[in-house]
Each structure stands twice: as C-alpha cells, then as structure tokens.
Amino acid sequence: MDMRVPGSRSTARPPAARHAASSGRVPWSLAALAVAAVAAAAVWGGPLAAASSAVVAVAGLAVVGRAQPIAKTGWTAGAAEGGGPRANEEPMQRPAPEPVEAVVFYRPLRSLPELHLRGIEAELRWCRPGEEPLPPSGWPATTAPETAAALLDAWLDAALPQFAHWLPDLRARGGATLWLRLPPAWLGLPTFASRLTQALSASGLDPSCLVLRVPLHADGRQAKLPDAVLALQAKGVTLAVDAFGAGSASLTHLERLPVRTVCLAPSFVERAGPTTPQRWVVESTARLAASMGMSTLAEGVTQESQVLALAVLGCNLGVGDVCGPWLPAPDCAAGWSGTQAVQAA
C-alpha cells in the first residue's frame, strides 16, 4: 500500500545511491567524477585550486562511504518501491487513548449576607486512574475536539439529571438555578449549543434554570459573546460574565451585553480591604451592575468577615469556602446545611 502523502515528492533514490548507502562502498562512477574535477582544476586554476578540489573530493567520498543503511523498523513515509512496509517490518501502531475518569463536583451559591441557598454550580473534573481530579483550569491548554466533546457529554449526562432530581428540594430552599463555568474547549465545539439544548430537553429542564458563566473578551470599545452562547441565550438560558476584572473587559461593556450577573474575579474579592484599590473595583462594579438590573457574584469568599463587607459593597451572591466547598453528589447533603436534606440521585 502506498503511504505517500498526495502531492508530495517520492523519496526514491537512483540505484547507485541506494547501493552506496546499503553497502558502505563508494561507487566507481563517483570516484571517476572526483578525479576528473581535480584534473580540471589543475589545468584551469593551477596547483592551489587542484589541492583545494582534492580535499573537497576526498571529504565528499568519505561521507558517501560512511553512509548508513536505512533503519529496518517502522513505516517509511514516501519510501522507494511503493512506500509501504518492508518484508520484515510491522506496521506502526497508534497508541491507544489513555483511560480517564470524569466526576462532577457541586458547590452552593449563597446570598450575601444571609447565606441563603440561591443556586448550585456543577464542575466536571477528570483525571487518569489513580490521580487527583483536575478542574477545567487545570486541563491541557490544547484539548482535542473529540476529548472536549466526550467531556461535555459526561457533564451533560451527570449534572443535568442530578439537578433535575434535586430541583423540587432546591426550589423550596430558593436555589433553583444550575451554574456552569464554560471551559474554552467546549466553546470551540461546533455542536456545543445543539448538544446542550438536546440535553436540557431530555432532562425536562427549562432553559432558564441554567446559568452559563462565560468569559468576556473585549477589543477596544467592542465586546462580544460567542455566537453559540448568544443562540442559547435566545432560547432562555441565562448568561453571566465570568472573572470580570481579570481580563480586558471594562464597565462600559456591560450595558451592551445580554447578561444577568457579573462574576467578580477572586483576585479582587480576596483583596477588597477597606483601603485597597480592589475595594473600589468591587464596589463600582456592583453599583453599576445593580443600576442595570444585574446581580454581582463574588467568587473567593474564604473568610466570614468578608460576607458582610462584600454585601455592603453591593455583592448579592457569593461562592467560596464560607458558602460551601466543592463536593461530589453523594456528599452534597452534608455540605449544604439547611432544614431540608438534598440527597444525591
């Protein structure tokens, strides 16, 4: 079978060159040419030119004489005589994909300062067997589309049915929204919107129950959300700007976007002290968001002293250790204190 790439040149060599490379001997035709070159240099250029030509010729013949035969293992793309495997060769096998394990973790979103349950965030973590699960921030920078699609399906197959099972109890407690921070690898999938729409329908969930945390990138005065996200928003899915303050987006971009919540980056929340510049960013963002009918989520609430301080600055929602840790579904009942127990499906 010809393994050459269409349009590429064949790497077949003349018989003399193949013989030289395989036997390690210098062909008589090449030696004769070298002698002729030295003689011509002596006639036209004198003794010095002849000596130089002789040195070059000897070096060239030495290189040809030391040529090693081609390795006899593996495929030789574009090799002579058809380019396929040789008689004593075996086809090169592609390594099998490594097995991975995917687990969905959940954490509560709470109101500030009351800490009432207002939603559940679901995050897919995956790992190789025996390793710690990696959140999306720890995924490889370049994820193959096939892998990204499989991870998306794993989240859809686990998080949506689980949330649908919890929904009656969550509604009674005021937390009837499911939040998802979108990994960049999923946003790049052409079928992302259709997969998500079909999964919502199959789970019997209204699209308004889902809140997508989307990164916002701005170029000058222009800020645009991905088309797939806008298509989902048109069907009722709620949008939130993720990690606001850490990127290029500014306050002036918010009023032009169909978002309902602004999620502040943890770097601002954790350092929003009484006299720090981060305090001004948190307060001004929360006030402007409120004036446009948006809520503000503070991510990184790790101390109880932050709860009241962030509420005073205008933050409506919070996530972090104080609000509740990331937990797998079977452990969520213990992590969400309240009058009603929420059991895993």
Side-chain angles (χ1 to χ4, degrees):
M1 180 175 59
D2 190 357
M3 295 295 294
R4 287 175 289 185
V5 179
S8 62
R9 295 183 179 180
S10 173
T11 57
R13 293 175 292 177
R18 287 202 300 271
H19 176 75
S22 61
S23 64
R25 297 190 297 270
V26 179
W28 286 107
S29 58
L30 295 181
L33 288 175
V35 173
V38 173
V43 173
W44 297 100
L48 183 59
S52 300
S53 299
V55 171
V56 173
V58 171
L61 293 176
V63 171
V64 174
R66 288 197 301 269
Q68 299 297 322
I70 298 175
K72 296 183 179 180
T73 58
W75 286 101
T76 306
E81 289 85 38
R86 299 171 189 266
N88 61 341
E89 291 177 351
E90 295 182 358
M92 184 172 59
Q93 300 292 331
R94 288 189 176 185
E98 294 184 282
V100 296
E101 299 174 350
V103 182
V104 178
F105 282 70
Y106 304 85
R107 69 174 175 179
L109 286 83
R110 298 190 180 276
S111 62
L112 300 179
E114 302 89 356
L115 295 182
H116 294 163
L117 187 65
R118 289 293 177 263
I120 303 298
E121 185 171 8
E123 178 179 85
L124 181 75
R125 301 182 182 184
W126 68 278
C127 63
R128 297 177 180 87
E131 297 182 359
E132 289 295 324
L134 291 174
S137 59
W139 293 2
T142 54
T143 304
E146 297 81 4
T147 303
L151 294 174
L152 173 60
D153 289 340
W155 186 91
L156 295 173
D157 293 341
L160 294 186
Q162 180 66 79
F163 181 74
H165 173 75
W166 283 335
L167 191 55
D169 290 337
L170 293 173
R171 279 176 175 162
R173 302 169 63 185
T177 53
L178 177 65
W179 294 61
L180 167 64
R181 173 184 284 150
L182 285 178
W186 293 359
L187 281 173
L189 293 173
T191 58
F192 167 70
S194 60
R195 285 171 185 258
L196 190 53
T197 302
Q198 293 172 6
L200 284 170
S201 177
S203 301
L205 293 172
D206 189 276
S208 61
C209 293
L210 182 64
V211 183
L212 299 181
R213 297 178 58 173
V214 187
L216 178 64
H217 302 287
D219 183 12
R221 294 185 177 183
Q222 299 295 325
K224 184 181 179 182
L225 296 171
D227 292 339
V229 171
L230 293 175
L232 290 169
Q233 188 269 338
K235 296 182 179 181
V237 174
T238 305
L239 303 183
V241 175
D242 191 38
F244 185 81
S248 55
S250 65
L251 296 173
T252 57
H253 296 125
L254 294 179
E255 59 184 355
R256 305 187 183 99
L257 300 172
V259 297
R260 298 288 299 276
T261 304
V262 179
C263 304
L264 293 171
S267 58
F268 288 96
V269 174
E270 294 169 357
R271 294 181 288 177
T275 59
T276 62
Q278 288 79 11
R279 175 190 174 91
W280 178 87
V281 173
V282 171
E283 184 174 19
S284 58
T285 302
R287 300 302 182 194
L288 179 61
S291 68
M292 294 186 292
M294 304 178 188
S295 58
T296 302
L297 183 146
E299 182 171 5
V301 185
T302 58
Q303 302 176 14
E304 293 184 2
S305 60
Q306 294 176 288
V307 174
L308 181 58
L310 290 168
V312 171
L313 295 178
C315 295
N316 315 98
L317 302 170
V319 288
D321 294 341
V322 173
C323 301
W326 288 106
L327 294 170
D331 301 328
C332 286
W336 303 337
S337 59
T339 57
Q340 291 181 299
V342 178
Q343 300 297 331

